[in-house]
Amino acid sequence: MLSNEKSTDALDLSHHLSKVGKARHTSPLKGLQKYMGKPGLISLAGGLPNAAYFPFSSVSGEILAPDSFPLKTDFEESSLSWFWKLFSRSDKERTSTFTVGKYSKRPGDLDLENGLQYGLATGQPKLNEVIREFVGKVFQPAYKNWTTLVHTGNTDAWFKTVQTILNPGEGLIVSEWTYPSAMASAQPFGIIPVPVGMDSEGMSSISLRETLSEWDESARGMPRPHVMYTVPVGQNPTGTTMGIQRKKEIYDICVEYDIIIVEDDPYYFLQQGKYVPKSDRVAEPDTDDEFTLEPAMFGTYSILTILRLDYQGRVIRLDTFSKTVCPGSRLGWFTCNPMFAERLERTAETSSQAPSGFTQIYVASLLLKWHYEGYIRWLKALRLQYKQRRDYFLDCFADEFHLKATLSTEGYTAGAHIYHASLKPKRSFVLLSEKDVAYSKPLFSFVPPSSGMFLWLELHLDDHPSFSSLGYKALEMKLWTEIADAGVLFAPGAMFFATPVEDDTPGYGHFRISFSNSTVSSIL
Ligand SMILES: Cc1ncc(COP(=O)(O)O)c(C=O)c1O
């Protein structure tokens, strides 16, 4: 069911609340806050400092124009000028300024009197308005009464979600490789990861159905899980992205087994499309012409969110400004049904209270200055910037190694073209034929990611001379340490296993490499 059939409110899913989630009462003082901001209200209730004593008379900033980065790779440019544009800082930035004063001049303007005061856990009203407009236009949840609520970044949002819907001793469905910080957040609460197999589109719906349908409560020592954590786009660490059909299959299974889906989607706007080797690359059509606000905002690369499919209100979606504005903003938002939103608000009231007032003012000013269209323009260009970085990174591999692509049929790469990298013959007097090169053993393999920031390298450790004496885990760490000592830091693969495995479990031997933040010197 998609948005045009949006006729119903969310189901009552309150049976998913944890004991802690249910037990939270409105913070006694925060209960008064809903009256704040009412015109003419004389509030003598709270311990609010007087805004006259805030030592900030105004805050201002200088922001880039939303069209600062192009929407198209300029293939006419020499490769050198293209390269320098991507990797160097421009000294000709186009900017504009904003200032927010202590007291607003017009009703509804941002001001510091309210913006730097104790605020609502739901977020400053102006920012909330912008976020709501964005979710309504871009994500279009498939039920009527969806709600948004600001948070202080997806890390904290997940932490709050865990407390709200999971009890100690319960299982949590995750992909077999997953984001370790999310596990580190849940495990101390006694939450047990339940890994599900993956293929080239992330979590496998076949494996998910098997796990759920064959669940044996006494053998597993816990009831069947009722919560799933997933990173559907540019998955951390494998870089996989779920297509819309896969999302639909996963969603339908979750409806069948009554599972809440936590959609942690920081890389949604970094969809870069398929990697095309340098020699086959051609100019792309001007995406600005295809630009429609909805639903296919990214033309051929558009992949709808799981939230978009959610006609029951069982998705808690986490969005963050970390990858699209800056991580230091510590700002993002939940989109979920009003029952979960109310419980999450109660959790926030007694922890973060609300994201920082400065942060909310800065990000709201940016978005109000750019307007919706400007922010979309920014996101589209950002996607291209990371696409170029990814392409350049992989092109360097192609220059250094002999790459051979095959269609993978097994494991988490099943269904994708996987590149096997073997050493190129050094310049020597003995010329190796193309056949010899192709037959030399690959050192590592990878599937070019179509979204996100990560390249997931599978190392062929079995062929390493020290493999028989060290085994997978020790050899992965040995190689990782040698590379780190040489001054290059990758993330070792073992830390991304959803559950700890034995030292010699086949499958060890991965590095996660980020292509998002490299400088010229680090690549060359
Ligand atoms: C899957 C995933 N979730 C969450 C985060 C952190 O997001 P935030 O900065 O909003 O806390 C990251 C960042 O690397 C991530 O990869």
Side-chain angles (χ1 to χ4, degrees), residues 151-157 179 181-182 229-231 234-236 264-267 318-323 327 330-332 453-454 512:
H151 59 59
T152 62
N154 284 13
T155 307
D156 186 51
Y179 178 49
S181 298
Y229 169 81
T230 182
V231 183
Q235 200 248 9
N236 190 349
D264 180 9
D265 210 359
Y267 307 104
L318 315 182
D319 276 285
T320 176
F321 287 109
S322 284
K323 317 290 176 178
R330 304 316 304 137
L331 191 65
M453 297 181 162
F454 305 115
R512 190 197 71 179

Side-chain angles (χ1 to χ4, degrees), residues 87-159:
F87 286 101
S88 52
R89 281 189 207 140
S90 164
D91 47 8
K92 285 185 280 181
E93 287 180 337
R94 283 179 294 118
T95 59
S96 61
T97 55
F98 70 85
T99 299
V100 177
K102 189 175 276 184
Y103 304 102
S104 58
K105 297 208 171 73
R106 285 169 307 181
D109 276 358
L110 293 173
D111 61 52
L112 302 187
E113 179 189 17
N114 294 298
L116 298 187
Q117 189 53 271
Y118 284 115
L120 295 170
T122 45
Q124 293 185 6
K126 270 277 165 206
L127 179 65
N128 226 337
E129 247 173 60
V130 176
I131 288 174
R132 235 195 115 72
E133 179 194 2
F134 186 81
V135 172
K137 285 183 171 162
V138 176
F139 298 142
Q140 305 180 21
Y143 62 103
K144 256 201 310 199
N145 58 343
W146 53 271
T147 306
T148 59
L149 180 79
V150 292
H151 59 59
T152 62
N154 284 13
T155 307
D156 186 51
W158 168 240
F159 185 79

Side-chain angles (χ1 to χ4, degrees), residues 412-427:
Y412 66 89
T413 57
H417 277 100
I418 182 165
Y419 286 67
H420 306 284
S422 47
L423 280 179
K424 272 189 175 169
K426 289 263 176 270
R427 260 183 229 117

Side-chain angles (χ1 to χ4, degrees), residues 16-70:
H16 286 282
L17 290 172
S18 66
K19 286 200 180 98
V20 171
K22 278 189 196 134
R24 286 192 191 283
H25 300 295
T26 307
S27 153
L29 287 173
K30 288 286 167 183
L32 307 177
Q33 204 134 31
K34 63 177 186 245
Y35 297 99
M36 304 293 176
K38 268 200 167 175
L41 181 85
I42 303 168
S43 169
L44 305 176
L48 309 187
N50 192 307
Y53 307 131
F54 296 170
F56 296 92
S57 304
S58 68
V59 297
S60 53
E62 194 173 353
I63 56 178
L64 292 183
D67 59 353
S68 292
F69 297 103

